[in-house]
Amino acid sequence: MNTFLTEDFLLKSEFAKTLFHQYARQQPIIDYHCHLSPANIAENYRFRNLTEIWLAGDHYKWRAMRTLGISEKYITGDAPDEMKFGQWAFTVPYTMRNPLYHWTHLELKRYFDVDKLLNADTAHEIYHHCTGLLQTPEYTTQSLLKKMHVKVVCTTDDPADSLEFHQMMHQHAIGIELLPTFRPDKSYSIENPSAYQAYLEKLGKASKVNINNFDALMTALQNRIDYFDTIGCKLSDHGLEQLHYPANGNGYSLNELFNRLLKGNVLDKLEMAFYQYSVLIALGRLYHKKGWTQQFHLGALRNNNNRMFNQIGPDAGFDSIGDFSQSHTLSHFLNELDRSNQLAKTIIYNLNPADNEVISTMIGNFNDGSVKGKVQFGSAWWFLDQKDGMKKQLNALSNMGLLSCFIGMLTDSRSFLSFPRHEYFRRILCNLIGEDVANGELPWDEKWLGKLVSDISYHNAKDYFNF
């Protein structure tokens, strides 16, 4: 008897089934944070085979394969694509109880109608079946997005990016909004002065500003914010170990620090913290002026393995959860913007689950009644976007804030096959509420609770970002 991945997968009560099938399932998808290629979307790219669309760039799968002892040749190396897929198929049965096992089979089922379990024995058949489908018009990038009922995709874009592919999409109405997200991490990543100098030159060319002092840097960033805004940008995003609020920052001159960087000098930790803080505070005020939402992804300890970083580069599966202190400096940072009423709508994501309660209480300090859910505890992120992590995030938000105001799930993915993660999230959400109803902890109020899950699945995000 088949008990895996049925229509009622993860739904343990009749009320949970009703919530999902009648209220959550049919809602469109707003993917307000992802790493999809704008070029692939705008040019309606057609992938060559299942390996290219599914394994290239997916560091979740790469980590699992390395753990199983599979050679890098079959992961990021030069092995033929079908052989790489074969090694992934061999790995899949060993991923049971890891979210990869659920995601893998959800994606095969939702995109390719494959019900068979992926393993070494079924690898050849599944690879050729799916690769054949990928050659048809129904499996181009735009068709895949439509298949999943995606209405909005917000990519992640550097301030110096041309946004030419976003412009291209604006000229063709296909029922999907492709919007940029302003990701200025390189504008304050000053650990390597020579790399920073090279970036300033690139940013200067894009903004048509000679960036020779700190004020010129901020002028260049403002120019790019103005440009992003004309293309429909509504969000910024920042990847940080933690936010800073240097108590002794008054003694620093930003132009002096800037000049030292241009001379190739490495700043000390306090100087770097003040420089980063100053850029982010100035950017935060610009975001508020534009009516944008700012996102902060906090807590990743990146590029832990120097040998593999030198061999492969960043974003290859060698990052982990960090245990950085968050609450004190986060509070001061947000308060600095709020004291002049220049705190933009803000989403805070944490990677360490120990910070769930910290973040879920912090957001309440800066919700001022001007906007519904102005400051958000972002969805369970990266290592936490699995069943246990999602439940913990939802419970912390429910206990210490208002779950009803939550703007829901995103993919944070580089893969066009990741959108069933929205379904996964919606099933977990509906089951959580259904359990409360079954336990007598919430009323059997289908209309109201159905509205709540519909809002979290789609409507809250649509209203929050004004898409």
Side-chain angles (χ1 to χ4, degrees):
M1 185 174 73
N2 180 26
T3 59
F4 176 61
L5 219 62
T6 65
E7 282 296 294
D8 294 328
F9 175 59
L10 297 177
L11 305 172
K12 305 304 180 186
S13 69
E14 290 304 313
F15 198 82
K17 295 172 187 177
T18 297
L19 286 178
F20 177 72
H21 293 299
Q22 299 300 320
Y23 296 95
R25 183 173 204 156
Q26 73 271 25
Q27 296 301 327
I29 288 174
I30 291 176
D31 203 39
Y32 55 89
H33 176 68
C34 75
H35 298 275
L36 294 180
S37 163
N40 283 351
I41 297 173
E43 295 175 342
N44 204 19
Y45 184 72
R46 185 176 298 173
F47 291 90
R48 299 189 310 273
N49 55 50
L50 189 53
T51 300
E52 184 189 14
I53 192 173
W54 216 24
L55 301 183
D58 192 337
H59 51 81
Y60 289 82
K61 295 184 177 73
W62 297 352
R63 283 171 69 99
M65 294 170 75
R66 292 183 189 118
T67 301
L68 199 58
I70 291 173
S71 167
E72 198 68 30
K73 173 182 178 180
Y74 301 102
I75 302 172
T76 61
D78 59 0
D81 281 351
E82 188 169 356
M83 291 182 69
K84 287 183 176 180
F85 182 80
Q87 290 298 305
W88 166 241
F90 171 78
T91 304
V92 168
Y94 293 92
T95 68
M96 286 187 180
R97 300 207 81 242
N98 183 289
L100 281 168
Y101 194 78
H102 286 164
W103 296 343
T104 292
H105 292 100
L106 268 177
E107 289 163 18
L108 286 173
K109 190 176 181 70
R110 296 296 180 252
Y111 288 100
F112 303 104
D113 295 320
V114 171
D115 287 313
K116 292 185 177 181
L117 299 180
L118 179 60
N119 53 48
D121 293 332
T122 60
H124 179 82
E125 177 187 353
I126 289 174
Y127 179 84
H128 286 278
H129 169 74
C130 297
T131 294
L133 289 175
L134 287 169
Q135 309 316 304
T136 66
E138 290 75 22
Y139 284 81
T140 62
T141 54
Q142 293 178 15
S143 296
L144 290 169
L145 293 172
K146 291 177 181 177
K147 187 179 184 70
M148 290 294 107
H149 206 13
V150 178
K151 293 295 185 184
V152 180
V153 173
C154 295
T155 57
T156 303
D157 310 278
D158 186 87
D161 288 349
S162 68
L163 306 185
E164 60 185 293
F165 298 106
H166 298 83
Q167 289 181 315
M168 187 185 304
M169 281 286 286
H170 275 272
Q171 298 169 9
H172 304 284
I174 64 166
I176 301 169
E177 280 194 271
L178 175 64
L179 302 175
T181 297
F182 190 79
R183 178 78 174 242
D185 289 0
K186 292 180 181 178
S187 71
Y188 48 78
S189 297
I190 56 175
E191 298 81 3
N192 183 333
S194 61
Y196 190 60
Q197 292 168 28
Y199 178 71
L200 292 179
E201 184 176 347
K202 182 179 179 181
L203 178 63
K205 289 179 180 178
S207 62
K208 297 181 173 57
V209 173
N210 179 21
I211 306 177
N212 55 9
N213 56 47
F214 186 82
D215 289 340
L217 168 63
M218 294 314 305
T219 298
L221 290 171
Q222 179 163 4
N223 287 355
R224 298 310 290 169
I225 287 173
D226 291 341
Y227 175 65
F228 271 59
D229 194 65
T230 65
I231 309 298
C233 180
K234 296 180 183 293
L235 297 100
S236 64
D237 182 47
H238 313 81
L240 303 156
E241 292 180 349
Q242 58 188 154
L243 282 162
H244 294 290
Y245 186 81
N248 61 342
N250 292 335
Y252 296 124
S253 162
L254 287 168
N255 280 322
E256 180 184 338
L257 296 178
F258 185 92
N259 289 335
R260 287 169 55 194
L261 288 168
L262 287 190
K263 292 177 181 178
N265 296 320
V266 177
L267 306 185
D268 66 33
K269 287 186 177 180
L270 288 176
E271 290 169 334
M272 285 193 284
F274 178 71
Y275 192 93
Q276 182 187 80
Y277 157 80
S278 300
V279 173
L280 285 168
I281 286 291
L283 286 172
R285 293 185 171 119
L286 294 174
Y287 302 151
H288 178 268
K289 187 176 181 180
K290 287 293 184 186
W292 286 8
T293 297
Q294 58 185 354
Q295 301 174 94
F296 296 103
H297 285 83
L298 305 177
L301 186 62
R302 299 177 187 269
N303 304 318
N304 294 270
N305 189 320
N306 287 344
R307 177 172 61 87
M308 297 304 289
F309 177 83
N310 292 333
Q311 178 181 331
I312 304 171
D315 304 320
F318 299 99
D319 308 316
S320 64
I321 293 171
D323 57 352
F324 309 102
S325 176
Q326 301 291 356
S327 61
H328 183 74
T329 52
L330 176 58
S331 173
H332 281 293
F333 182 88
L334 296 176
N335 191 57
E336 181 64 24
L337 291 169
D338 187 74
R339 70 169 71 243
S340 57
N341 198 22
Q342 291 178 295
L343 178 63
K345 289 182 289 186
T346 302
I347 310 172
I348 304 167
Y349 309 85
N350 64 288
L351 195 55
N352 191 332
D355 294 322
N356 280 350
E357 282 73 21
V358 168
I359 304 302
S360 62
T361 55
M362 186 64 67
I363 63 173
N365 297 329
F366 299 98
N367 278 317
D368 57 8
S370 62
V371 177
K372 176 183 174 182
K374 176 180 176 179
V375 184
Q376 292 273 333
F377 178 14
S379 63
W381 168 48
W382 199 343
F383 293 108
L384 306 183
D385 66 349
Q386 27 76 8
K387 184 174 69 171
D388 183 60
M390 290 181 192
K391 287 174 66 177
K392 286 178 177 176
Q393 188 269 348
L394 290 167
N395 281 328
L397 178 57
S398 298
N399 288 332
M400 300 176 190
L402 293 183
L403 178 64
S404 55
C405 296
F406 183 38
I407 56 174
M409 186 58 177
L410 45 85
T411 64
D412 189 29
S413 176
R414 292 167 174 80
S415 172
F416 283 88
L417 299 186
S418 291
F419 286 93
R421 292 185 194 178
H422 283 261
E423 175 189 340
Y424 197 63
F425 165 81
R426 293 174 186 183
R427 287 178 180 271
I428 291 166
L429 170 67
C430 291
N431 189 63
L432 199 64
I433 294 172
E435 284 181 351
D436 286 350
V437 173
N439 293 336
E441 298 172 23
L442 288 176
W444 191 292
D445 188 340
E446 179 184 328
K447 183 177 179 181
W448 180 253
L449 293 175
K451 179 184 184 304
L452 187 146
V453 300
S454 297
D455 286 347
I456 295 170
S457 299
Y458 173 70
H459 297 287
N460 283 349
K462 181 176 183 293
D463 295 340
Y464 186 79
F465 299 112
N466 194 29
F467 290 138

